[in-house]
Each structure stands twice: as structure tokens, then as C-alpha cells.
Amino acid sequence: MESTGAGERRKVAVLGATGQLGARMVTHLRQKGVDVVEVSRRQGVDAYSGDGLDAAFDGVSTVVDCLHLPTPSRKRAVDFFTTTARNVLAAAQRTGVSRIVCVTILNARDPEVHRWLGYYAGKAAQERTYRAGPVPVTFVASAQWYELAETLLSQLRLGPLSVVPGMRSRPLAADDAAAFVADRALEPIGAATSGDAVIAGPEVRDLAELARAINERRGERRKVLRVPVPFTALGNGSLLPRGEFTTAPTRFEDWLRAGS
């Protein structure tokens, strides 16, 4: 069982525990012998209303926020992520949580990035809310995941076409991101590095090209139309890491083969 370093067993609550990242987080933490509290509406806890948070955080030393809201709406995203962050902070303070680990998107707080993407604006608002709160917060910023290319295939369809923007990124496997976040969550309380922990993939890739490769691997007849967006944050390099970062190990082709 993981401990805080003072003989106390580590108990970690994972918000969004049934989501794409959260479920992987739960698996990685339990493999390390950690006592994990799964927090989601499925478990009767609503971070947006705050219902059930105090009970879920009872005895917890670290809370990991993997919450997700699938929306392109700036208004909905900002409201959701601001409200949930405030509720999590309040419950964490009431229950004596030592630290929050918030999973965010690489460069989401940059106005040049989130002006184009409503969801990213929500994540930027989440970061601002947590940074202004009374509980220490570690931010883990991840580049886009390979799984996003799968999502983009189905988001905008025009007849036999899937329209995908030519996003330049250093994408990585969601499982690599989850393992990295789990390690940050288990750092000794008070010993976490200042600033963001950043993880990105091993190569600069175009997500439209990855979507095309996924489509071909599936043997689908649908065509993928790459839409150039060179004058936006999606295509001008604004989604790439700008300083030091950890390089995720899994290459796209290996991820693709493993999933087929």
C-alpha cells in the first residue's frame, strides 16, 4: 500500500472515474496498491452540484480531477469546469484533503489557444479557479491523445466524408497519460514540483493523418478530408509543448497495432 511517507496509507479519490482517463487512472493506482475512491455520478456523486463530495473525500489525502464534459460550447464548458472546481475545492478544504491533482490540456490557458476552442476555454477557467483556491494543486498538462483522432472521425461527417482539421500536436496514448498522472498523484505530499508537469507524445504528428490511418486500419470506405487550419492554434504549432516535458513512450503505429 502506498503511503505518504509518514506511515500513513495513501487514499486517493479520482473524479470522473468512469471516463476515458479516469478509468485508466483507477487501474494504474490500484496496480500500485493504492486505496482508490471512484467518484462519478455512477457512484452517486455529482461534482457539479457538490452532492456527495464530502463523503467521497472522507479520509482522502489526494484528489485527482479527471472530469470531462463533451461539449464544444464555450459557455457550457466554462460554467461546468468553474463550478466543479469551486465545489471540489470547498469539499477538499472541509475534509482536510492535502492536495488536488488537476489534469488539464497542454497550453489550454493560452488565450491564443482557447479563443478557438470552447472546451479549452473551460479548462483554462478550471485552472484559474483552482489556482485561486485554498488547497495546493498540482497541474498535469497533457497533449492530445491518439484517441482524439478516433473521436474526430465521427464528429463532423458529410455524406461519405469525415472532415478532420489538420491539428499539429505531439499526441500520446491515453494510457500513457494516465500512468503519468498516477505517478504525480503519488508524489509525497509537499514534495511535488512547482508549476505544471507536462507530458506529450514521442513525435509531432497531424491528427487528421492519424484519423486517416485509423480509418484505413478499420477497413472503412469512408474518406477522411483533411481541412488545413494554418492560421489557428490548431495548425500553427500552438498545441506543441514550449518548455521541458516528459515524452510518452508509445508511438502511434504501436498503439494502432495494439488496438486492432
Side-chain angles (χ1 to χ4, degrees):
M1 184 74 71
E2 293 284 339
S3 72
T4 62
E8 181 184 350
R9 288 184 173 181
R10 178 69 60 87
K11 188 175 182 182
V12 177
V14 178
L15 291 161
T18 58
Q20 191 171 61
L21 183 71
R24 290 175 168 87
M25 274 287 304
V26 170
T27 297
H28 280 285
L29 289 170
R30 285 187 171 150
Q31 285 174 347
K32 295 174 180 290
V34 178
D35 185 3
V36 179
V37 180
E38 297 182 46
V39 185
S40 72
R41 288 183 178 178
R42 187 177 299 176
Q43 281 76 34
V45 183
D46 188 339
Y48 186 77
S49 68
D51 292 343
L53 284 177
D54 283 20
F57 292 173
D58 183 34
V60 164
S61 58
T62 299
V63 170
V64 182
D65 187 342
C66 299
L67 290 171
H68 172 62
L69 180 72
T71 178
S73 166
R74 176 180 296 264
K75 183 177 180 180
R76 284 193 65 204
V78 169
D79 174 65
F80 174 81
F81 285 113
T82 301
T83 301
T84 55
R86 286 173 179 163
N87 289 338
V88 170
L89 281 166
Q93 187 176 30
R94 287 192 298 267
T95 57
V97 169
S98 299
R99 182 180 49 163
I100 297 168
V101 176
C102 175
V103 182
T104 187
I105 304 170
L106 184 64
N107 300 338
R109 78 169 72 98
D110 184 346
E112 177 62 23
V113 173
H114 67 241
R115 70 184 285 240
W116 298 98
L117 300 161
Y119 184 83
Y120 284 44
K123 296 298 288 183
Q126 180 189 45
E127 289 190 49
R128 289 194 298 271
T129 303
Y130 273 131
R131 290 183 193 278
V135 180
V137 181
T138 297
F139 292 93
V140 180
S142 171
Q144 291 67 33
W145 306 330
Y146 299 141
E147 287 80 359
L148 175 60
E150 289 184 298
T151 301
L152 293 173
L153 276 173
S154 58
Q155 275 191 336
L156 183 54
R157 293 190 169 187
L158 300 174
L161 295 177
S162 286
V163 181
V164 181
M167 297 173 63
R168 290 183 64 234
S169 175
R170 289 190 73 114
L172 66 152
D175 196 61
D176 286 348
F180 184 73
V181 176
D183 287 343
R184 302 291 76 72
L186 295 180
E187 290 175 337
I189 301 298
T193 57
S194 60
D196 294 350
V198 180
I199 186 166
E203 302 169 304
V204 176
R205 303 294 294 261
D206 184 309
L207 288 187
E209 297 302 325
L210 301 192
R212 185 171 292 156
I214 293 169
N215 189 62
E216 292 174 357
R217 186 77 174 184
R218 291 174 176 173
E220 297 187 10
R221 295 181 179 180
R222 181 172 298 276
K223 295 189 66 174
V224 177
L225 176 64
R226 179 186 183 276
V227 179
V229 283
F231 301 111
T232 73
L234 300 180
N236 68 8
S238 294
L239 300 180
L240 299 175
R242 298 167 184 173
E244 293 184 1
F245 64 95
T246 296
T247 302
T250 307
R251 296 179 63 253
F252 171 72
E253 285 74 18
D254 297 329
W255 173 87
L256 189 61
R257 282 192 294 270
S260 61

